[in-house]
Amino acid sequence: MSLISVQYMEASHFMGGEISYEHISGNDYKIRLKIIRDCGGIPLGTSQSIEVSSPGASTSYLILNRVSTTDVTQLCPGQVSKCSSASGQFGSEEHIFEATRSLPPLANNGFYTLALTGACCRNSAITNLQNPSSHQLYISTTLNPNLTLKNNSPKILNRAVAYFCNNKPAVISPNAYDKDGDQLKYSFVNPKSSATNPIPFSSGLSVSNPLISSSPITINPTTGEIRFTPSQQQVAVWSVLVEEFRGGIQIGSMVHEMQIWITNCNNNPPVINPVSSQIATLGSSLCIPIVATDVDNNNIALTAVSGLMSQGATFVINSSTAGTSAGTFCFTPAAANQGQTYTVTINALDNQCPVAASSAMSFNITVSGNCPKTGVSFMTTPATCGLNSGTATATLSPAGLSPFNYLWTGPGNFTAYTQQITGLAPGNYSVTVIDSRGCIGQNTLAIGRADQLQQIGTVTHATCKLKNGAISVTAVGGTPPFTYKLNGGAGQPVGNFTGLNAGNYTVQVIDVNGCNGQATYVVTSSIDTIKPTITCPPNIVRTMSPLNASSMSISLGNPVVSDNCAVASVVKNGSTSYPAGITNVTWTVTDTSGNQNTCTQKVEVRGKQTSVSIPIKGGK
C-alpha cells in the first residue's frame, strides 16, 4: 500500500478511539478505553489513566490495565505491518484497557465525565488539524448514575481507522450498538486537546467540513453513516458525538474519534445496494438480501456488523464471483428485542492491491410487538413567516401504553426524540413512535409556511435614459397594514416607487406582525436612435451700415427643434458680427441620447454700391 510519506515524531502516536462503560451491578461499572495507535510512534504502556469528574466534586483518576492488543493494519498479501516489523511502511494497533469503578448517584441528576487527558500526542501525519503533533488526544464519555434502569454506553463496532483512495466515493460508519435499546444520535464535533481546548482546523476546513472533499460530507444522524469524496491526498481526524436518549431524555454521550487516510490510488470501491429502514415483528423471520458490485471486477468480501449478531442474527454469503457478491441478513426477533431499534452496517472490501477499497451501507431495524395496526396522528402549527417556528406533536393511534419512544427525522438531518418538536423549518417530517409493548406507529407530515408574504409587481421601464421608470407592488398574504421599502430605504404605506433610473431594485414588504417578503425587479431603459428635428431661422439679407464698416451685428433668431425624447442642447457655429458677403451658419441639435441633426442658415451682408457710366451710342 503506497500511503502518504510521513516524518514521524517520537511520541506522536495517537490516532483515535473512545471510552465506553458497562453496568455490572449496584453502582459498579466496567470502564473500557480503546485507543488506536500509530505504530510509527513510541509504544503504549501497559496501563492508561482516565479522569473521572462530576459537578461539585474533586477530580479523581482511574488506572486501566491493558487487556488486548490487535494489529488493525489493512494489508495486502506479502506486506508487513510496521506494528510487527520496523521494515513495515505503516501500521496501526487497537489497544483496549479496562478497570472497574464504583460510580454512586449524584445530586441534582448530575453526570460523571470520563475523559482521557494528557495523552501526548497526536500523530504528525494528520493534515486537517493545525500543528497536530503538538496537541494531546482528548476523548470523553458522560454517564448518568441516577437512572432506575442503569445504563450501558453504546459500543462502537467498527474500528476507528480507515483507508480510502483519492477521488473515489467513500462511505464509513462507526456503528454504535446500545444493548439497552436507547436511541442514538450521531453528529460531528470539534476534536479537542483538553476539555476546553478545541483544536483549530487547517485553513478552509471546519467541524462540518473536516476534510477536503469534492462532495458534501454528510453524517446520517440515526445510523452514523458518513459519506464523502476525498479530492486530495490527506490524513484527517474527525470526532463523532454519539448521544443516547431514553424516553426523549438524553442520558449519556460518547465522543468517538476516527482517523481517515486518503492516498493516491486508482481503485473504485464496491457499491452496496441500499436498504431502507426495516420493521421486524416478534417471532417472524426478517431476511434482507444484500448485493455488492465492483466496476473493477475485483473480488468482494462482505461482512455484517450489528449488535444483533450476538442475538441470533445471521449473515450468509450466497454467491461471490469477480465483480459481485451477494448475501442474506436474517433475524428473528425475540421478546427481549421488542420496541428496540438496531443498526446494521454491511462492509464491503475488495482485494485489489497495493490499496484495497472499502465501502459501507447502514440501515436500521426496529422490532415491533404483536400489536394491532397502529398509526400516528399529529397536531401542528406552521412556520410563521417562513421562519423556523413550526411545531408538531405526535400521538400513537389507537392509543398505546406508556412510556413511548419517539424518533423524528426531517430536513437538514433534523432528528429529535420527544413527543413534541418545535423550531421547525418548512418541510416534510417523519416520525416513528414505539410504546412499551413494542407497538410501532409511523407517519409523515408537512410543516407549511403561514403568513408568507408574496408580491405582485409591475414595472414601467425608463425611456430615453431618463429617470422616469417606476415599480408598483401589491402585497399578497400576510396581515395588513403593510410597509414597503425600496433597496432597504425608508418605509412607506404604498408600494409605488417612481422616478427610477435603469437598474436592479429590491422591494421588501413587511406586514403588521413583522413577517416579510421581498422580490427583485429590473428597470430597463429603451435605446433611442431617432435623430432630433431642426428647422433653421429664415435666411437673412442686410445692407452694411455704415457703408464703409468691415462688419455688422445681426440677430439670427432661433431654430425650431423637437425630439421623441428630449433635446439636450442647440448650438451654432456663427457669431454675432458678420462681414460683407455671404456666411453659412450651421445649427446643431443634440438629444439626451446623443443623437444629432443640423441645418444651415444663410446670412448675406451687402456693402456700398458703385456707379458705372455706360456710354450711349448715337447720343449728342
Side-chain angles (χ1 to χ4, degrees), residues 539-541 578-585 600-606:
N539 295 333
I540 297 173
V541 178
Y578 295 88
I582 297 175
T583 301
N584 290 322
V585 177
T600 301
Q601 179 185 19
K602 182 183 292 186
V603 178
E604 182 181 358
V605 177
R606 297 175 178 176

Side-chain angles (χ1 to χ4, degrees), residues 44 51 56 58 81 109 172 192 255 337 413 422 488 499 520 588 592 601 609 618 620:
L44 281 178
E51 180 183 273
S58 58
S81 167
N109 197 36
I172 188 173
K192 293 181 176 181
V255 173
N337 308 121
N413 276 341
T422 60
T520 299
T588 301
T592 53
Q601 179 185 19
Q609 292 184 352
K620 292 184 178 178

